[in-house]
C-alpha cells in the first residue's frame, strides 16, 4: 500500500485501510501462532496517516493540547505539513514521542484519575499504530471482554450477566472485582512479551516501547519517568491494557474449555462442581459462578496469581463475593434477582440504574441549573439536554421507567426554580404564561429533553460471536448455551 503516492482523500484512505485491516484480521484468525513483520510500512502509509489524523481531529479531546501547546482542532491547514513531517520521521526512524501532559480528573470516590495527554503528532502516530495492531489482536481476544473493543459496549456485558444469572443457567454467586490502578501499574516487560507473541517488526515494537516510556510532565511542572503503566488518555492505551488483561480472559477460557461440551459441564454441576464465566469491561470484571460460596471465595487467590506476572493486583476495597439475590453494582447498573411483580414464587433478574449512578446525574443537573452558570434559558437547555439524553440512552435497556420519571420531575422543577431566580419580579402565574406555555420548557427551537418520554427497550444478549468490523459477514451470533 505504501506506494509513495500523494495524500489520498478521506474516502479513498478509509477504503484502503479497511481492505488492509480485513487482510490482517483474516491472517491473524487463520493462524494463531503467526507473528507479523514489516508492519512499519503500514504505520506511515499515507492512507493510514490520513485516517489516523481524521480520528484524532474528530476525537472529543481534540480541543486539549499536550506539552507542545497545540490542540488538534487548532492545526487547520497546517495538517498536511504535519503529516508530511511525521511520515518522513517515521520512515527515517527519527520519530521520538514527547512526554504526556498530566491532567488530574476527580473521581466519584474522591480520588484522582491522572490522564496523560499526548501531543498532536504523538496522537496521530498512536492512532496509526492502533489501526494496524487492533485487527491483529482482535482475532485473539476472548468474547468475555467488552471494554474498548469495536462494536462492543457496556450493555453487552450487562446482557451476558443477566443471561447467566437467569433461569435456567442460574449462575448465582458473583465474584466482583476491580484492579488497583490498572493503567498505572502494568508491567512494561510483561506487556511487551505479549505484544511480541504477535508482532515481530522491531521498529513497531520500538515505537510502542517509546510511548510507554515517554514520561509525564506533571501539573506542577516536574518531569516524571514512566517505568510501569500505560497512560490513560493515550489512543493506544486501551488496546495495550486489553492485551495485558487478556491473561485473565484466557485463564477462564481454559478452565471453561477443560470442562468439555455442554453435557459434561451439566454433569459436573450436578455432581457439585463449580462452573464459572468471566465478564470483563476494561479493568472492571465479575466472575459469575454456579457452585458454592467457598468456590467463589477461592477465586481471590487464583485471580491474584493470574494478574501478578503482569504487575497487577486486586483492589481490596472493591473486591467481594455476593449472591445474586443480594445484588451488586457493575458499570453503573444494579443487578439483582427478585420476585417478579404480582407473581409470587417466580423470580427474575432485574437490571436498573444504581444509586450511585442516580446520585451522579442528580448532581450534574443541580450543578448545571445553578443561576450563575447560564445567562439565558436557551444556553441552559443547550448544556443540559445532552447530559439527560446521554444518561437515558445508556440506561434505557433496563428497568428504568420510574427512575426516568424521577429525573424528569427533578430536572423540570430545577429549571422552574432557575427561572424564578432569574425573574424575581414575576409571580408564578406570569412566569408560567411567559416561559412555560402548556407546562413545556422551551427557548425558541430548543425544548427540554424529557426523560419520562424515553422508551424502555430490552437489550438482547448477542452471544459469543459478535462480529468485528473486519468480519466477512456482518451477522451476529446467537447465544451459546451455558451449562
Amino acid at each position: 500500500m505504501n506506494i509513495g503516492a500523494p495524500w489520498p482523500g478521506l474516502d479513498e484512505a478509509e477504503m484502503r485501510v479497511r481492505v488492509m485491516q480485513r487482510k490482517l484480521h483474516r491472517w491473524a484468525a487463520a493462524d494463531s501462532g503467526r507473528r507479523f513483520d514489516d508492519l512499519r510500512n503500514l504505520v506511515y502509509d499515507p492512507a493510514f496517516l490520513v485516517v489516523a489524523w481524521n480520528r484524532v481531529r474528530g476525537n472529543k479531546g481534540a480541543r486539549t493540547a499536550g506539552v507542545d501547546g497545540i490542540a488538534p482542532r487548532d492545526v487547520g491547514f497546517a495538517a498536511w505539513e504535519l503529516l508530511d513531517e511525521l511520515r518522513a520521521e517515521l520512515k527515517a526512524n527519527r520519530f521520538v514521542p514527547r512526554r504526556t501532559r498530566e491532567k488530574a480528573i476527580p473521581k466519584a470516590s474522591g480520588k484522582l484519575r491522572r490522564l496523560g495527554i499526548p501531543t498532536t503528532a504523538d496522537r496521530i502516530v498512536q492512532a496509526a499504530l492502533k489501526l494496524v495492531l487492533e485487527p491483529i489482536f482482535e482475532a485473539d481476544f476472548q468474547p468475555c471482554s467488552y471494554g474498548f473493543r469495536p462494536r462492543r459496549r457496556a450493555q453487552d456485558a450487562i446482557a451476558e450477566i443477566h443471561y447467566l444469572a437467569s433461569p435456567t443457567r442460574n449462575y448465582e454467586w458473583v465474584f466482583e472485582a476491580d484492579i488497583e490502578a490498572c493503567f498505572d501499574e502494568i508491567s512494561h516487560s510483561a506487556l511487551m512479551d505479549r505484544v511480541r507473541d504477535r508482532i515481530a517488526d522491531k521498529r513497531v515494537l520500538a515505537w510502542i516501547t517509546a510511548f510507554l516510556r515517554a514520561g509525564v510532565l506533571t501539573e506542577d511542572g516536574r518531569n516524571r519517568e514512566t517505568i510501569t503503566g500505560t497512560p490513560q488518555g493515550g489512543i493506544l492505551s486501551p488496546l495495550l491494557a486489553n492485551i495485558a488483561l487478556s491473561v485473565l480472559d484466557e485463564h477462564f477460557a481454559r478452565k471453561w474449555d477443560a470442562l468439555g461440551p455442554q453435557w459434561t459441564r451439566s454433569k459436573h454441576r450436578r455432581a457439585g462442581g463449580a462452573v464459572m464465566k468471566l465478564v470483563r469491561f476494561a479493568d472492571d470484571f465479575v466472575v459469575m459462578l454456579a457452585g458454592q460460596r467457598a468456590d467463589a471465595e477461592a477465586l481471590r487467590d487464583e485471580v491474584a496469581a493470574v494478574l501478578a506476572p503482569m504487575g497487577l493486583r486486586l483492589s481490596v476495597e472493591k473486591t467481594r463475593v455476593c449472591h445474586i439475590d443480594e445484588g451488586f453494582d457493575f458499570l453503573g447498573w444494579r443487578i439483582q434477582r427478585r420476585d417478579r411483580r404480582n407473581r409470587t414464587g417466580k423470580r427474575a433478574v432485574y437490571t436498573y440504574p444504581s444509586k450511585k449512578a442516580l446520585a451522579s446525574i442528580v448532581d450534574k443537573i443541580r450543578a448545571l441549573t445553578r443561576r450563575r452558570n447560564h445567562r439565558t434559558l436557551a444556553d441552559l437547555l443547550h448544556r443540559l439536554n445532552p447530559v439527560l439524553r446521554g444518561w437515558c440512552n445508556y440506561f434505557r435497556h433496563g428497568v428504568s421507567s420510574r427512575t426516568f420519571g424521577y429525573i424528569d420531575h427533578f430536572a423540570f422543577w430545577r429549571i422552574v426554580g432557575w427561572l424564578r431566580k432569574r425573574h424575581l419580579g414575576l409571580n408564578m402565574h406570569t412566569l408560567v404564561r411567559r416561559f412555560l406555555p402548556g407546562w413545556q420548557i422551551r427557548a425558541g427551537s430548543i425544548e427540554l429533553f424529557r426523560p419520562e418520554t424515553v422508551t424502555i427497550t430490552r437489550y438482547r444478549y448477542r452471544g459469543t460471536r459478535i462480529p468485528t468490523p473486519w468480519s466477512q459477514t456482518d451477522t451476529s451470533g446467537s447465544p451459546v448455551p451455558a451449562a
Side-chain angles (χ1 to χ4, degrees), residues 409-459:
H409 181 272
F410 181 78
F412 183 93
W413 287 104
R414 283 291 298 185
I415 295 177
V416 171
W418 181 88
L419 287 169
R420 296 189 69 178
K421 291 177 182 178
R422 291 288 297 177
H423 305 279
L424 295 175
L426 301 181
N427 59 37
M428 192 63 183
H429 175 77
T430 306
L431 192 75
V432 170
R433 180 170 53 83
R434 288 190 185 180
F435 299 103
L436 306 170
W439 288 96
Q440 296 295 317
I441 297 178
R442 182 192 301 271
S445 61
I446 305 177
E447 185 176 350
L448 173 66
F449 177 82
R450 304 303 298 266
E452 67 177 3
T453 64
V454 176
T455 302
I456 305 299
T457 59
R458 174 83 178 271
Y459 192 90

Side-chain angles (χ1 to χ4, degrees), residues 179-240:
I179 299 174
E180 186 75 31
C182 174
F183 282 84
D184 297 330
E185 297 188 0
I186 293 175
S187 167
H188 288 174
S189 59
L191 171 60
M192 292 307 299
D193 285 344
R194 292 188 65 80
V195 174
R196 288 188 192 95
D197 287 342
R198 276 301 202 175
I199 308 301
D201 191 313
K202 292 184 179 180
R203 191 176 296 184
V204 171
L205 294 171
W207 287 333
I208 298 172
T209 302
F211 278 118
L212 292 174
R213 298 177 179 175
V216 174
L217 178 65
T218 63
E219 291 186 297
D220 56 5
R222 294 183 295 106
N223 290 327
R224 188 178 74 241
E225 301 304 318
T226 49
I227 57 176
T228 62
T230 175
Q232 294 187 67
I235 294 174
L236 196 58
S237 293
L239 175 60
L240 295 178

Side-chain angles (χ1 to χ4, degrees), residues 236-420:
L236 196 58
S237 293
L239 175 60
L240 295 178
N242 268 334
I243 293 172
L245 292 172
S246 60
V247 296
L248 199 60
D249 309 340
E250 292 164 5
H251 173 77
F252 282 95
R254 286 192 296 269
K255 293 187 66 169
W256 178 264
D257 292 340
L259 294 174
Q262 182 182 355
W263 70 271
T264 59
R265 292 195 299 269
S266 299
K267 182 179 179 180
H268 180 72
R269 284 187 64 171
R270 290 194 298 270
V275 178
M276 58 194 73
K277 294 280 283 185
L278 172 73
V279 180
R280 182 175 67 83
F281 190 94
D283 57 337
D284 293 319
F285 66 92
V286 296
V287 180
M288 305 297 296
L289 187 141
Q292 305 298 320
R293 183 184 183 96
D295 299 317
E297 293 286 358
L299 287 174
R300 294 178 187 270
D301 293 336
E302 181 179 332
V303 171
V306 173
L307 293 174
M310 297 302 305
L312 301 174
R313 53 197 170 88
L314 290 176
S315 169
V316 177
E317 299 83 6
K318 298 181 181 179
T319 299
R320 72 186 187 108
V321 172
C322 68
H323 194 273
I324 191 66
D325 291 347
E326 299 174 45
F328 65 100
D329 293 349
F330 188 60
L331 303 180
W333 295 83
R334 182 70 178 173
I335 306 169
Q336 187 174 12
R337 188 173 65 183
R338 302 185 305 193
D339 288 335
R340 299 183 66 176
R341 293 173 186 167
N342 303 322
R343 298 186 68 177
T344 305
K346 297 289 186 178
R347 301 180 70 76
V349 177
Y350 288 86
T351 58
Y352 50 93
S354 67
K355 290 183 178 179
K356 187 176 179 181
L358 178 59
S360 174
I361 188 64
V362 166
D363 289 343
K364 287 181 181 179
I365 296 170
R366 186 178 286 114
L368 287 171
T369 52
R370 291 195 177 103
R371 178 183 174 185
R372 66 177 181 271
N373 289 345
H374 310 284
R375 299 188 63 182
T376 65
L377 178 59
D379 181 39
L380 170 58
L381 295 180
H382 181 73
R383 293 280 304 280
L384 181 61
N385 279 351
V387 173
L388 293 175
R389 186 178 292 109
W391 196 86
C392 291
N393 282 340
Y394 182 81
F395 288 107
R396 67 194 298 259
H397 302 296
V399 186
S400 307
S401 57
R402 289 187 178 181
T403 306
F404 286 175
Y406 173 80
I407 293 298
D408 185 278
H409 181 272
F410 181 78
F412 183 93
W413 287 104
R414 283 291 298 185
I415 295 177
V416 171
W418 181 88
L419 287 169
R420 296 189 69 178

Side-chain angles (χ1 to χ4, degrees), residues 110-121:
K111 298 180 181 179
L112 294 176
R113 174 181 285 110
R114 301 192 179 277
L115 302 181
I117 304 171
T119 65
T120 297

